């Protein structure tokens, strides 16, 4: 059962590191990408070329675009 809980725990760590108030999907994906040993979800994401760097860049770009569209800067 620890293997199934680990991404949630590490997702919380990611949220805190990024100074976010709550754990969301992007934090869980980052936790899965960092999981060691690599689990099935990580292997699948990597098969599609998803890396931590690419994913983080995409999320950051989306967040900036969203903030601009609603007037936050």
């Amino acid at each position: 059962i620890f293997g199934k809980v680990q991404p949630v725990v590490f997702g919380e760590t990611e949220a805190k590191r990024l100074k976010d108030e709550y754990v969301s999907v992007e934090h869980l994906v980052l936790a899965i990408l960092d999981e060691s040993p690599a689990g099935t979800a990580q292997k699948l994401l990597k098969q599609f070329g998803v890396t931590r760097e690419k994913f983080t860049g995409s999320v950051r770009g989306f967040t900036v675009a969203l903030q601009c569209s609603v007037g936050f800067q």
Side-chain angles (χ1 to χ4, degrees):
I1 189 158
F2 181 74
K4 297 187 186 320
V5 175
Q6 188 175 2
V8 176
V9 173
F10 290 151
E12 184 177 13
T13 302
E14 282 294 332
K16 288 178 182 176
R17 188 181 69 75
L18 296 170
K19 297 183 174 95
D20 290 331
E21 295 179 24
Y22 55 88
V23 177
S24 58
V25 173
E26 59 264 28
H27 304 116
L28 297 175
V29 172
L30 289 170
I32 289 169
L33 287 169
D34 286 346
E35 199 173 25
S36 180
T40 304
Q42 184 188 86
K43 290 175 185 173
L44 182 64
L45 288 168
K46 291 198 175 188
Q47 275 184 332
F48 285 97
V50 179
T51 64
R52 181 181 182 82
E53 293 75 26
K54 288 180 184 177
F55 184 78
T56 302
S58 295
V59 169
R60 202 173 293 135
F62 175 77
T63 303
V64 169
L66 182 62
Q67 288 173 342
C68 289
S69 72
V70 294
F72 293 107
Q73 292 182 353

